[in-house]
Every structure is written in structure tokens, then in C-alpha cells.
Amino acid sequence: MKIIVCNDYDAMSNHACEVVKEHLAKFPDALISFPGGDTPLGFFRAFVKAVNAGEIDISCAKYVSLDEWVGLGIEDEGSCGHFNDVNLLKPLKKSFAKTHIIDGKASDIITERDKLDGFIETYGVIGVSVLGIGLNGHVGFNEEGTAPGSNAHIIDLAPTTRQVMKKYFGDKFSPTQGITQGMGQILAAHKVILMANGAHKAEILKKALHGSVTPEVPASLLQNHPNLYVITDKTAST
Ligand code: GLP
């Protein structure tokens, strides 16, 4: 694992973008996956800027979103799909070769889960999986106790996740489940970038990177990944 501690949030975001840029320069047709949440906002900005400036070519690349709140779709402010739409897909002046944004509002959520598996399977494996970390150590919606080999699944949200989610949409929505890429799909990615910023992430990050490898702290399973980049700001690394 490579741990890169950056001076601040912007440096963290730019560094993560550089790693994705390098990967796409070598593997232009890779499948890439980014998370939702607050952490990747600056990374999305850097990525969009680089693509629009012609520094990253996404014309052969494929994109898949990481997770979604069950019951929320792309038009729902605060959802992961909305975040992807507003911060990635709309500002991009060029398109990915293929894009799959998980629809948490699908009338048949099991079929939606299968579509997510199908999309990933079509391209074999994720090239770069960019991740944030939840305060309970979740990645995507792989909550405590997640099976390390899992594919896409629907999961009951952990109490911590249900508390934290208010920052995205207040009391407007109260989802109880999430739909997510599975830990097995994340761990199979050629490269994983885990980003964390802010002092509130320091404790869980330490546990994830230096504590025991256990499904009880899903991000700790990443310790076994052969090509893991942990990119943080200073406050999250202390
Ligand atoms: C959210 C999402 C994750 C995200 C994580 C951290 O609930 N399910 O994909 O990476 O929790 O979110 P944030 O970046 O807002 O701290």
C-alpha cells in the first residue's frame, strides 16, 4: 500500500486525479468507478478539468458508479446519481464510451443489482476504483460484516450511515437500504484509490489501515490489495 499524505484537500484531489490519469494513459479502455459523498468533490473537479482540457482521453473508457441509496434516483438532490450527474457527467464536454449510473429508484431493485453486476462483468474487472471511507469504515455501502468476496448487493444501512446521511439530504429522504458494488468487485480492481480528508476521518482511517483486517471494518480489507493508493490530506492522516 502506498500512503500519500498531501498538504490539503486540493492537493489530495489533484493527486488522486493524477493516478487515474496515469492509469487511463496506459489503459485507455479501462472501466473506472468513482464514489459519491463529500470527499471526491475536488477530485471530480480536477478530473473534469483535465478531460475538458484534453489531458485525459475518456473516449474509450467506461464508467460505473459505486453505490446508491435505495429509493433515490439521479434527479434526487443528495443522491449518488445526482452527484455524478452534476459533478461529472454534465460538466464533461466529452463522453465515456459507456456509462452505468445505478438507479436506486428502479421498480425492481434486484434487476438493478443484476444490471450492475452485468455491466462490470462485461468489462471483466474494474481498472481503477476510487473510494471514500465512511465513519464506520464502510466503502461504497459495504457496511460492517460485509462478505469480502461479494458482488453487487442490497444492504441495510448501518446506524452510523443513517445518521451521517442527513448531511446529504436532511430529512427529505430517509432511505434504510443501499445498493452497492460488492467488496469482491472492489478488491478485484487493478488499482484502488482510497481518499480521506478531515480530522473526523483520522480515527477510522487509522483503524482501516493499521488495525486488523476484518469485515467489521470493511475498508481494512483493502490492506490486502496489491495496488492500493491511500491519498489523504494532513488532518485525516494524524
Ligand atoms: C457514503 C457513500 C460512500 C462514501 C462514504 C463517505 O455514505 N456510501 O460511497 O464514500 O459514505 O462519504 P463522505 O465522502 O461524504 O464522507
Side-chain angles (χ1 to χ4, degrees):
M1 128 173 62
K2 295 183 187 68
I3 302 182
I4 301 136
V5 180
C6 301
N7 275 339
D8 56 25
Y9 178 74
D10 284 344
M12 175 195 81
S13 306
N14 292 335
H15 199 100
C17 182
E18 279 303 310
V19 178
V20 176
K21 183 178 164 182
E22 272 170 33
H23 191 89
L24 284 175
K26 273 193 206 148
F27 309 101
D29 61 347
L31 170 61
I32 58 175
S33 174
F34 302 162
D38 292 335
T39 308
L41 196 55
F43 162 77
F44 273 58
R45 273 197 295 262
F47 183 82
V48 166
K49 195 174 161 200
V51 172
N52 288 347
E55 293 160 12
I56 299 179
D57 179 11
I58 57 165
S59 59
C60 299
K62 290 93 189 172
Y63 180 78
V64 62
S65 62
L66 174 67
D67 57 0
E68 186 56 282
W69 309 92
V70 170
L72 272 62
I74 202 163
E75 71 285 359
D76 294 316
E77 214 171 311
S79 71
C80 303
H82 188 266
F83 181 86
N84 271 280
D85 197 37
V86 170
N87 297 297
L88 182 69
L89 303 180
K90 282 202 172 114
L92 278 175
K93 290 187 192 139
K94 296 163 190 169
S95 306
F96 291 106
K98 291 269 181 232
T99 302
H100 181 85
I101 303 292
I102 303 164
D103 181 10
K105 237 179 182 161
S107 53
D108 182 348
I109 200 71
I110 300 297
T111 302
E112 188 62 21
R113 175 203 65 190
D114 295 346
K115 276 190 198 163
L116 175 57
D117 275 343
F119 189 83
I120 295 172
E121 234 176 84
T122 303
Y123 303 107
V125 77
I126 295 171
V128 188
S129 173
V130 181
L131 302 169
I133 181 170
L135 288 178
N136 60 344
H138 75 198
V139 288
F141 280 129
N142 290 277
E143 302 281 29
E144 297 102 314
T146 195
S150 61
N151 276 347
H153 56 281
I154 290 125
I155 190 164
D156 290 341
L157 299 173
T160 315
T161 306
R162 298 205 63 205
Q163 270 169 14
V164 173
M165 71 188 185
K166 292 185 193 304
K167 74 174 175 166
Y168 306 117
F169 33 73
D171 292 323
K172 195 169 173 204
F173 306 112
S174 38
T176 56
Q177 292 189 309
I179 172 169
T180 184
Q181 288 174 23
M183 217 52 223
Q185 290 160 321
I186 293 170
L187 289 169
H190 286 142
K191 200 169 275 170
V192 174
I193 301 174
L194 179 67
M195 284 195 294
N197 67 288
H200 63 301
K201 292 286 174 75
E203 193 184 330
I204 190 62
L205 191 65
K206 194 171 168 192
K207 217 169 160 183
L209 302 182
H210 307 294
S212 359
V213 176
T214 164
E216 291 313 312
V217 182
S220 72
L221 299 170
L222 299 172
Q223 285 182 36
N224 291 332
H225 193 279
N227 212 358
L228 171 67
Y229 290 70
V230 181
I231 308 180
T232 78
D233 73 351
K234 271 186 186 157
T235 55
S237 80
T238 48

